[in-house]
Amino acid sequence: MGLDGVFQWLYATTAGAVIRENESLFPWLESFHVLAITVVVGSIAIVDLRLLGIASLDRAVTRLTRDVLPCTWIAFAVAAVTGSLMFISNAVNYAHNFYFQLKILMLVLAGINMMFFQFFVSRDIENWGISASTTPLRARFAGGASLILWVFVVAFGRWIGFTLQPHLIGG
Amino acid sequence: MRTQSLDNFCAWIEQTPLSQTIQVTAWSVPAVQTIHILAISAIMASVLMLNLRLLGVIGVDRSIAEVSARIRPVIWWTLPILLVSGVLLIVGEPVRSLENPIFQLKMLMLISVIVLTLAYQAPLNKNSKFWDGGGRRSITIKLISIVSLALWIAIVCAGRWIAYV
């Protein structure tokens, strides 16, 4: 069974059929998907702007991430679950949609950037202190990359809604 | 709500050059929606951080006045971006939005949450410690923050539901 076989199987699952056939389920999933993404993107931007030395300069990065990142992760989980449920309702078409593929690529790159930050960039994070000049160049680079990638995640996500065939979802 | 004058107003918007341009430029609506959602992201994250502080969940090493002061500029600078991008979306498809009951509900909730935000911030100008400390005020501010968060969540959901009603 190739990838398309997997997508067809997902499409045919009970969950896929229920979401496809229920009139209000998809809009609710989409509502909470957008809501979760706004929290993910907004909260990550707080951290990115701190790494770039633009905002929250009076707080240490470690102090800031302790407050912000739990919200990011909870919201990311909600976005992933609602996104997966929307995906299975029309799996083959999503998988073949160019903007969906780009969105997934952006997510993967954002994930790699985050792992890079976790294991390489932040190794001496305790010594960064609280002034803007103490964030190393590699941390600024990671923050800038994250900001750009998440903007594209939102943009490509919106473009899916206007290009998906058949037109099951609202614009 | 749907009246003859609203119908006429929508018909007038539809034939303006700006509306015509948006209607024939396929990428304009998703592009403006992207900007709209990014602006909402800035507001939602700020509002969430602020309300979690009001609820005493995070950042309790800072006073409510301090947290409000750092988040207020984000909200007031982002609202114009939301307004302009929102107006462009309305101009492109006036009937879809202005005559939509969900859109009307969204605007009502938006006005409510702005009034609520201004109302709780007002006493902070005279006394920055107004909401800090215990007692009845601490319960009031927690209730305000729960209502405010619920309104923002409902506003985002309503925004997506406009496409389906």
Side-chain angles (χ1 to χ4, degrees):
Chain A
M1 185 157 77
L3 263 184
D4 268 345
V6 177
F7 298 141
Q8 272 155 20
W9 176 80
L10 282 170
Y11 180 90
T13 55
T14 313
V18 168
I19 297 160
R20 196 161 49 242
E21 283 153 24
N22 184 304
E23 263 185 25
S24 58
L25 212 45
F26 194 94
W28 276 120
L29 285 172
E30 211 189 349
S31 295
F32 281 94
H33 190 65
V34 172
L35 185 65
I37 285 178
T38 60
V39 175
V40 170
V41 173
S43 61
I44 285 185
I46 294 175
V47 177
D48 292 341
L49 292 174
R50 174 64 184 86
L51 292 176
L52 284 165
I54 294 172
S56 312
L57 302 180
D58 55 343
R59 304 204 112 180
V61 177
T62 45
R63 183 76 190 79
L64 190 70
T65 53
R66 205 159 50 233
D67 275 350
V68 173
L69 289 187
C71 298
T72 315
W73 280 114
I74 293 168
F76 184 81
V78 174
V81 170
T82 51
S84 304
L85 288 171
M86 290 193 290
F87 178 81
I88 61 171
S89 76
N90 200 358
V92 180
N93 283 336
Y94 276 115
H96 287 265
N97 181 283
F98 179 56
Y99 297 100
F100 177 82
Q101 294 166 354
L102 284 177
K103 180 175 176 178
I104 298 299
L105 177 67
M106 293 301 121
L107 280 170
V108 170
L109 291 176
I112 292 172
N113 183 48
M114 211 165 60
M115 281 199 285
F116 196 63
F117 182 84
Q118 188 69 36
F119 296 115
F120 170 66
V121 177
S122 69
R123 58 182 184 222
D124 58 345
I125 194 166
E126 301 295 338
N127 305 328
W128 290 355
I130 60 165
S131 94
S133 58
T134 54
T135 349
L137 191 62
R138 58 181 193 280
R140 291 170 194 229
F141 184 79
S146 161
L147 212 51
I148 292 166
L149 287 168
W150 283 103
V151 166
F152 279 108
V153 168
V154 172
F156 292 139
R158 208 70 288 279
W159 248 272
I160 298 169
F162 289 83
T163 52
L164 195 73
Q165 298 297 330
H167 207 79
L168 274 180
I169 60 180
Chain B
M1 190 181 74
R2 222 192 132 183
T3 62
Q4 184 62 47
S5 53
L6 193 55
D7 280 343
N8 294 340
F9 183 57
C10 290
W12 173 77
I13 293 176
E14 273 171 358
Q15 53 75 44
T16 58
L18 181 59
S19 180
Q20 299 277 325
T21 309
I22 297 170
Q23 287 170 44
V24 298
T25 315
W27 53 266
S28 65
V29 174
V32 176
Q33 282 184 350
T34 300
I35 294 168
H36 200 66
I37 292 178
L38 288 172
I40 294 170
S41 302
I43 293 227
M44 282 307 286
S46 308
V47 161
L48 188 66
M49 293 302 137
L50 176 60
N51 284 293
L52 288 178
R53 172 61 190 89
L54 296 182
L55 287 168
V57 178
I58 62 164
V60 282
D61 56 326
R62 301 188 157 205
S63 73
I64 286 175
E66 270 180 288
V67 178
S68 299
R70 69 186 294 126
I71 277 170
R72 204 177 310 155
V74 179
I75 295 177
W76 296 129
W77 280 101
T78 315
L79 275 176
I81 300 175
L82 274 179
L83 198 69
V84 171
S85 56
V87 166
L88 284 173
L89 292 169
I90 292 169
V91 169
E93 295 167 288
V95 176
R96 175 183 183 267
S97 46
L98 293 180
E99 296 195 342
N100 189 316
I102 300 287
F103 171 81
Q104 294 163 357
L105 178 67
K106 180 180 174 180
M107 289 305 108
L108 196 65
M109 292 191 293
L110 185 61
I111 293 166
S112 309
V113 82
I114 290 173
V115 170
L116 190 65
T117 305
L118 290 172
Y120 98 79
Q121 296 218 335
L124 289 176
N125 296 330
K126 281 188 189 150
N127 172 10
S128 67
K129 291 194 171 20
F130 187 86
W131 295 114
D132 296 296
R136 189 174 286 174
R137 275 182 196 168
S138 120
I139 297 170
T140 308
I141 193 66
K142 286 188 166 77
L143 279 176
I144 288 176
S145 70
I146 290 169
V147 172
S148 156
L149 267 181
L151 279 169
W152 281 111
I153 290 170
I155 287 167
V156 174
C157 290
R160 204 71 288 272
W161 267 93
I162 291 170
Y164 295 91
V165 173

